[in-house]
Amino acid sequence: MKILVCITHVPDTTAKISFTDDNTKFNSDGVQYIIGPYDDYALARAVELKEASGGTVTVLNVGGAETEPTIRKALAIGADDAIRIDAEPTDSFFVAEQIANHAKDAGYDLIMMGRESIDFNGGMVHGMVGELLGLPAISPVMKLDIEGQTAKLAREIEGGKEYLELELPFIAGCQEPIAEWKIPNMRGIMSARSKKLDVVAPSEASEAVKLQKYEMPPEKGDVKMIDADNVEELVKLLKNEAKVI
């Protein structure tokens, strides 16, 4: 089985976020980057499937040279080779086109990625890739097993789970508990240094979104304590100040 895992290069969840150039650019100074956590789940399950049934796992990232340490970590976790499409990931559709243009003639049996990245949280790329390739796209996938050419999976829906069967190939947007995150061991780290990492030029693709500016969320206000018996005041505050009812 030939699996493609698409990974993102995102700020660590503990990083302090700030912007420059009048809030039009992300300030990457001092920021530690990681594999997107949902992509990490996809990668872990892909490696498990490879170990169980044989095959190969290729990781793909759309990004500049600064993403290569993140890609090498994916190789240390268990991917066999990697591809970096040398372009800034400007928006979801641009990234989806880059992935689809690479994958359309590559013969992958399964394309996996996280349900969303944790920087923009768009959750759109897997669906766009499926549309561009004419393949089913399922998300968020919480369980995935492969039997021959048939995939059995579970995904989260409002109020419960949905169980599906479909034939390969397809695109899966993954989340926990599809697998446990894998921590690279010393052998994996050493072997990752010699694994193949191809850098390819981006294909022509449209940029559908132009970024205007970033904006930090408002600071949290003071907590207001309401007497448990004062229901009228509570309703008034929820309606007029919090605006949640």
Side-chain angles (χ1 to χ4, degrees), residues 117-129:
S117 65
I118 63 163
D119 47 7
F120 290 94
N121 300 98
M124 297 183 286
V125 172
H126 39 74
M128 292 176 175
V129 173

Side-chain angles (χ1 to χ4, degrees), residues 5-230:
V5 180
C6 305
I7 63 172
T8 52
H9 170 79
V10 297
D12 190 284
T13 53
T14 61
K16 185 176 180 180
I17 301 302
S18 62
F19 305 103
T20 61
D21 295 356
D22 195 26
N23 290 334
T24 61
K25 291 184 179 180
F26 175 70
N27 182 10
S28 61
D29 291 346
V31 174
Q32 180 72 32
Y33 284 84
I34 60 172
I35 299 172
Y38 294 115
D39 305 324
D40 238 341
Y41 286 118
L43 176 61
R45 186 59 185 142
V47 171
E48 290 174 353
L49 291 171
K50 180 191 76 168
E51 291 173 346
S53 304
T56 60
V57 174
T58 298
V59 292
L60 181 148
N61 171 259
V62 179
E66 69 277 3
T67 71
E68 292 195 5
T70 301
I71 298 171
R72 289 290 178 193
K73 181 181 177 182
L75 292 170
I77 287 171
D80 298 286
D81 58 357
I83 297 163
R84 179 172 68 81
I85 298 177
D86 190 21
E88 182 182 356
T90 52
D91 63 64
S92 296
F93 189 64
F94 176 82
V95 172
E97 283 194 298
Q98 297 301 321
I99 295 170
N101 288 340
H102 162 74
K104 63 183 179 181
D105 297 319
Y108 293 110
D109 298 294
L110 177 61
I111 299 175
M112 303 175 69
M113 62 188 76
R115 75 173 195 189
E116 63 184 10
S117 65
I118 63 163
D119 47 7
F120 290 94
N121 300 98
M124 297 183 286
V125 172
H126 39 74
M128 292 176 175
V129 173
E131 177 66 20
L132 291 167
L133 294 177
L135 296 175
I138 312 295
S139 180
V141 178
M142 305 170 64
K143 178 180 174 62
L144 173 61
D145 294 307
I146 306 293
E147 297 179 5
Q149 290 297 305
T150 301
K152 296 182 178 181
L153 52 87
R155 70 167 182 161
E156 188 175 35
I157 59 173
E158 186 174 355
K161 295 180 182 178
E162 182 178 51
Y163 296 89
L164 304 169
E165 287 190 15
L166 69 161
E167 298 298 304
L168 302 176
F170 68 97
I171 291 90
C174 305
Q175 70 168 41
E176 74 285 357
I178 193 170
E180 294 289 335
W181 284 336
K182 294 184 180 296
I183 299 173
N185 56 32
M186 184 57 65
R187 181 179 179 183
I189 293 170
M190 296 300 292
S191 66
R193 297 178 180 179
S194 59
K195 289 182 178 179
K196 187 177 181 182
L197 196 170
D198 285 335
V199 179
V200 300
S203 57
E204 287 191 16
S206 55
E207 294 184 24
V209 176
K210 295 293 184 183
L211 175 68
Q212 292 183 330
K213 69 173 184 177
Y214 296 100
E215 188 174 278
M216 297 292 287
E219 294 185 6
K220 293 182 179 180
D222 296 332
V223 176
K224 293 186 177 181
M225 303 299 293
I226 308 299
D227 189 277
D229 297 324
N230 195 350

